[in-house]
Amino acid sequence: MGEPRGGVAARAAVIVLGAGACYCLWRLAAGGRRGPRAAGGAERGPSPDNSTPVSTHTMDADALQKLIYLLHATDDPLIQEQALITLGNSAAFSVNQDIIRNLGGLSVIGGMLSDCVPKVKEKALNALNNLSMNIKNQEEIQVYITQVCGNVESAPLNSDLQLAGLRLLTNMSVTSDYHPKMITSIPCLLHLLSEGTERTQIQVLKVLVNLSANPAMTRHLLRGQVPTLLLLLDNCTNRDILLRALVFAANLKKNVNNKDGTMDQYSESSIFFKLFGDSTAFAQKLASLLHHPDAEVKEQVVRILTQ
């Protein structure tokens, strides 16, 4: 009886990859030092917390091609996971982002989003997150946005898989080009804002801030429901959550003042009603936050009040 494909690939890895790339896989499995991360914008996703890069920027195109081949050829989850970590960490360097794209690596990594093993999907999302720091890569990665949104929605609440998906959506929403692909996931994002931990709330708000900066998304956001939205606008709220919630509200206020989305009908449980309908509670929250010790928080409060 023949040996399973994953077992063959595992034994062949040393031959196919060569000593250098396999050493990277071994170091990643054993734990290595943390390497540099590509610089990002104000609301880009952070580097995954669990990545442990070695000096993968020294890998040449040949080594990266062999890693991509291995990822495509094997069905062993452990090998897939380690190959994805290595590719993701190498993508923290801009030169490797172009090489991986030119070698067809984006579609191979994107194919891992359909894997049934959560850790493999998580590592694929982390790799795409690093690769999405490149505009040309975003043009190819955008075909997976709907699938990423589905992964975020179906993943266990506050899980590493869910956070990996949110980080990628953060990067993919920095420009408005791909916002329409995220419209159907707005109710999910707002649910996570209400139910998630602080870490999840911060990542969700990064996506919502990016979406709210686009006037074309205003009506879709204003229709949403977040029962706990006003509860976030409190002096006791985590500063990173509070500041982003205020930026989100300020962006929406600016768009409403410009008549974006104001002709629609909104329910009493909608974000529109909570912020701009019966706004007494919202006004009281803002008045209280004028005494917040953080200058940026007060700046956003003033921005809302003076628009």
Side-chain angles (χ1 to χ4, degrees):
M1 182 177 293
E3 188 173 359
R5 190 180 70 174
V8 173
R11 288 208 332 269
V14 175
I15 299 172
V16 173
L17 282 173
C22 284
Y23 178 66
C24 286
L25 292 179
W26 175 81
R27 282 289 305 277
L28 286 163
R33 64 174 177 84
R34 186 171 295 277
R37 172 70 165 91
E43 291 299 350
R44 288 190 181 274
S47 181
D49 295 336
N50 58 348
S51 47
T52 53
V54 291
S55 299
T56 47
H57 64 294
T58 62
M59 295 177 65
D60 58 18
D62 185 59
L64 289 170
Q65 184 174 35
K66 289 171 181 176
L67 266 176
I68 293 167
Y69 172 81
L70 175 63
L71 182 61
H72 177 72
T74 184
D75 57 7
D76 184 313
L78 181 60
I79 296 177
Q80 290 173 335
E81 186 178 339
Q82 297 305 321
L84 286 165
I85 290 173
T86 305
L87 288 168
N89 291 333
S90 71
F93 304 92
S94 58
V95 63
N96 290 338
Q97 294 169 10
D98 292 326
I99 292 172
I100 291 171
R101 180 187 69 252
N102 292 333
L103 291 172
L106 295 179
S107 61
V108 175
I109 296 170
M112 297 292 105
L113 297 179
S114 301
D115 199 277
C116 60
V117 180
K119 277 294 181 184
V120 172
K121 284 195 286 191
E122 176 198 335
K123 297 304 185 291
L125 288 165
N126 288 341
L128 291 174
N129 179 53
N130 279 1
L131 287 159
S132 68
M133 306 299 287
N134 178 306
I135 296 299
K136 289 185 178 180
N137 285 354
Q138 284 194 2
E139 294 172 1
E140 294 191 26
I141 294 172
Q142 58 92 13
V143 302
Y144 301 108
I145 288 178
T146 300
Q147 192 171 359
V148 173
C149 290
N151 285 336
V152 169
E153 187 167 358
S154 63
L157 182 63
N158 305 316
S159 64
D160 288 338
L161 174 59
Q162 188 171 75
L163 288 165
L166 289 169
R167 283 192 292 265
L168 179 54
L169 291 179
T170 300
N171 280 355
M172 295 301 294
S173 62
V174 168
T175 66
S176 61
D177 296 347
Y178 311 118
H179 287 182
K181 292 177 176 289
M182 303 181 194
I183 290 174
T184 57
S185 292
I186 288 175
C188 171
L189 294 172
L190 298 178
H191 172 74
L192 295 179
L193 183 59
S194 288
E195 301 297 328
T197 61
E198 288 188 349
R199 191 166 65 142
T200 298
Q201 288 177 320
I202 290 171
Q203 204 61 55
V204 168
L205 281 166
K206 288 182 178 183
V207 181
L208 292 175
V209 165
N210 288 344
L211 296 179
S212 66
N214 179 4
M217 297 296 289
T218 303
R219 60 174 50 86
H220 303 291
L221 293 166
L222 291 176
R223 289 194 194 108
Q225 300 180 16
V226 189
T228 61
L229 180 59
L230 293 183
L231 295 179
L232 297 178
L233 305 180
D234 188 272
N235 282 291
C236 296
T237 300
N238 177 306
R239 183 259 184 195
D240 289 333
I241 294 174
L242 175 59
L243 181 59
R244 288 182 171 88
L246 287 168
V247 174
F248 176 63
N251 287 348
L252 291 178
K253 176 76 177 296
K254 177 183 178 181
N255 294 340
V256 166
N257 287 347
N258 292 335
K259 308 300 182 184
D260 294 306
T262 56
M263 302 304 292
D264 288 26
Q265 297 295 317
Y266 301 102
S267 69
E268 292 188 3
S269 58
S270 68
I271 290 176
F272 177 87
F273 193 84
K274 287 185 178 296
L275 298 184
F276 313 117
D278 181 11
S279 58
T280 302
F282 183 41
Q284 291 174 343
K285 290 285 188 179
L286 294 176
S288 175
L289 290 171
L290 282 172
H291 303 288
H292 196 280
D294 187 90
E296 289 187 84
V297 167
K298 287 188 285 190
E299 179 184 343
Q300 290 303 320
V301 172
V302 171
R303 180 186 168 206
I304 295 171
L305 292 173
T306 56
Q307 285 186 134

